[in-house]
Amino acid sequence: MKITETYEGTLERTLFSEAEIAAAIERMAREIASDHKGQPLLLLGVLKGALYVTVDLARAIARLPDGPSEVSVEYLCVSSYGNATRSSGEVRMLKDSDTPITGRNVVVVEDIIDNGFTLDYLRTLLGGRNPASLTSCVLFDKPYHRLVDVPVEYVGLTSPDEFVIGYGLDYQELYRNLPYLAQLRSWVFTQ
Ligand code: IMP
Ligand code: MG
């Protein structure tokens, strides 16, 4: 059976198509490439949600005619949500990146920013390791409930104020492999 058939009965609506997401990633790739021309760049993806956007961003940068002198891709893994649909505010490092970032140009790549705790935690932690530069790239921005004012230099798309899934984002570890962004039907949370 087709996996999207299982998913589709639980989806309220599509928010951003594959093509819209690809276009947003290409735009961010151009911005990041132009800000790091001729310099080595480290893309640091935040697992698990940013798995897909990090890969697609790295490839989009490689397709550009001009940009960084070299690109490394690393991941770290944090958890803040458990299985709830609102962040607890408590961010835990599950697996740190084992790459030294001192003196390097680091772009932290996140799937989505909501209240801002996750990115704020990471920027404070990584900033303490003395990178040459530290910026953030977020594919989906939910600006409605920000509790910490954390800078985001590269923003993809503004998400509606809903719990969203797909393109790396999960609900109870499902839907990450949906190739587009969607809103879940409310009965999925309440059953
Ligand atoms: P923040 O700490 O509230 O900014 O939330 C950031 C993290 O919460 C993201 O890295 C996501 O993993 C998760 N998150 C926030 N909003 C959503 C959502 O709508 N769907 C799925 N995960 C979300
Ligand atoms: Mg995340």
Side-chain angles (χ1 to χ4, degrees):
M1 97 175 278
K2 205 164 168 266
I3 187 73
T4 47
E5 283 170 23
T6 321
Y7 284 169
E8 265 155 24
T10 63
L11 303 182
E12 184 68 37
R13 60 182 172 137
T14 300
L15 299 170
F16 292 110
S17 67
E18 284 189 70
E20 287 172 307
I21 293 171
I25 292 175
E26 276 159 36
R27 180 180 42 76
M28 292 194 295
R30 286 194 298 275
E31 292 168 7
I32 292 170
S34 119
D35 290 348
H36 298 82
K37 256 185 203 152
Q39 300 163 43
L41 171 68
L42 171 60
L43 292 178
L44 189 51
V46 183
L47 292 178
K48 299 175 192 168
L51 180 60
Y52 299 83
V53 58
T54 308
V55 169
D56 286 349
L57 189 63
R59 286 191 295 211
I61 292 171
R63 283 189 209 105
L64 295 172
D66 195 14
S69 56
E70 56 184 51
V71 177
S72 317
V73 182
E74 297 286 344
Y75 286 96
L76 52 76
C77 187
V78 297
S79 154
S80 64
Y81 261 57
N83 282 333
T85 57
R86 251 286 86 87
S87 173
S88 59
E90 186 197 318
V91 185
R92 278 187 305 145
M93 178 70 74
L94 299 183
K95 169 81 177 72
D96 202 344
S97 159
D98 42 24
T99 305
I101 61 164
T102 308
R104 301 178 76 181
N105 301 304
V106 181
V107 177
V108 178
V109 185
E110 253 288 49
D111 51 356
I112 193 165
I113 181 166
D114 183 16
N115 59 35
F117 284 131
T118 308
L119 210 50
D120 184 57
Y121 164 84
L122 287 173
R123 285 191 71 131
T124 305
L125 180 82
L126 299 169
R129 297 177 184 174
N130 298 315
S133 65
L134 180 64
T135 50
S136 317
C137 170
V138 168
L139 180 55
F140 302 111
D141 183 16
K142 285 206 289 194
Y144 320 96
H145 306 280
R146 201 77 95 241
L147 295 176
V148 250
D149 187 21
V150 54
V152 184
E153 288 79 3
Y154 310 102
V155 180
L157 298 158
T158 303
S159 162
D161 188 12
E162 303 290 348
F163 188 76
V164 297
I165 44 85
Y167 206 82
L169 293 148
D170 76 305
Y171 176 64
Q172 297 189 342
E173 290 304 324
L174 294 178
Y175 303 99
R176 290 193 200 274
N177 68 329
L178 200 69
Y180 49 89
L181 192 79
Q183 178 185 343
L184 271 187
R185 291 203 163 136
S186 55
W187 60 257
V188 180
F189 306 126
T190 49
Q191 66 176 350

